[in-house]
Amino acid sequence: MTGSSQVWTDFLEKFPAAEVREGCEPCIFLGHNSTEATVLIHGLSDSPYFLKAIAAHLQFQGHTVLLPLLHGHGLCQPDGMRGISRHIWRHQVEFSVATAKRLAARVNIGGFSAGGALSVQHWCLHHSDISGALLLFSGALDLAGNVHLAGFKKWLGKSVLQMPIAVLQDRFGTALIGANPYRYARRDYDGVAEFLRLLAELDQQLKNPPARIPIFAAHSQLDTIASLDAVRDIVEGCGTPTSLVHTIAAANNVSHAQLVLDAPVAASGRELEAANPVFDDMMHSLNSFLAR
């Protein structure tokens, strides 16, 4: 399902950026009614492209869907991600939600990976804006496996000389532009550090959540980036009885980013990222959730 979208020029006028890579622009999928608008926020190092399949599906259901482009992302010539700011990310989400509120009676918010964390933070800070639901896809509310947020707090404020060698290699290593036209070739240190600061803020904000809200969360058991347990925790602690966690079994072999793709990402005649083989099942669960 491809849907019909247009570049979101008002967003680019509000948040001017250097030249944006083709296919990475902020965009709008206009729905056929004024009942539902949904803001979906992309993840760290990628672009709105990764949410277009879900946006097209929601557009078919009548939603208007807004896909902002986060500060420092999707650029033709990024200078690493130096100067990146989670505060600007937050302003961009606020602008997107304000636009959604003008377009529809009910507003949903959500996102992929780090975009999921940003959507939850907006709900924590401005819960009256969100009259609909939270929609999380591989939501990165904490890190997966044995790597936890608390462990990163020790080096977030340290000097470059105190950082782990792997971080130094990342910061001063290969260029961000690689084979994939829709995401950077790696997660840059500056972007990761700012995202971890965002998670630290969110960790505190969720200790006193503002209310309960319907939550849809789709997550793979094989996700090695974002914690499934953290997603289950927010659904249990903040979700309403209609909330739904759609868990993709390990047997389907779906990775973190693959979850949101209904078709492979290809360039120069080769496949760079595989599609989610159970994408349609995930959308069926989303439909069931929204129908409630």
Side-chain angles (χ1 to χ4, degrees), residues 87-224:
H87 304 297
I88 297 179
W89 293 346
R90 194 155 57 232
H91 292 324
Q92 291 175 320
V93 174
E94 290 168 358
F95 176 80
S96 302
V97 172
T99 302
K101 289 171 67 176
R102 292 196 298 271
L103 295 173
R106 183 163 57 182
V107 174
N108 309 296
I109 190 170
F112 161 57
S113 192
L118 279 165
S119 68
V120 173
Q121 184 175 66
H122 183 90
W123 170 71
C124 286
L125 297 174
H126 310 286
H127 69 276
S128 61
D129 282 351
I130 310 304
S131 49
L134 278 172
L135 309 177
L136 306 177
F137 301 91
S138 300
L141 307 183
D142 201 348
L143 305 179
N146 295 319
V147 184
H148 296 289
L149 177 60
F152 283 92
K153 293 177 182 176
K154 296 178 181 178
W155 61 264
L156 271 176
K158 294 182 178 180
S159 71
V160 171
L161 292 177
Q162 294 172 296
M163 292 175 192
I165 294 298
V167 174
L168 293 175
Q169 290 173 336
D170 179 69
R171 186 165 191 177
F172 301 109
T174 58
L176 287 185
I177 298 299
N180 193 320
Y182 308 117
R183 75 156 78 249
Y184 292 152
R186 57 184 175 83
R187 293 179 178 88
D188 178 80
Y189 162 76
D190 296 273
V192 170
E194 199 68 353
F195 170 60
L196 292 172
R197 294 185 181 103
L198 165 68
L199 282 188
E201 292 173 348
L202 185 59
D203 188 46
Q204 294 301 311
Q205 290 155 352
L206 284 173
K207 290 180 179 178
N208 186 28
R212 287 191 174 270
I213 186 171
I215 302 173
F216 174 84
H219 215 94
S220 172
Q221 289 182 332
L222 289 187
D223 195 321
T224 60

Side-chain angles (χ1 to χ4, degrees), residues 35 62 67 115-116 153 156 228 270 274:
T35 302
L67 306 183
K153 293 177 182 176
L156 271 176
L228 175 55
R270 63 189 181 96

Side-chain angles (χ1 to χ4, degrees), residues 227-242:
S227 168
L228 175 55
D229 287 341
V231 169
R232 287 172 171 156
D233 286 346
I234 191 176
V235 171
E236 180 179 346
C238 302
T240 63
T242 60

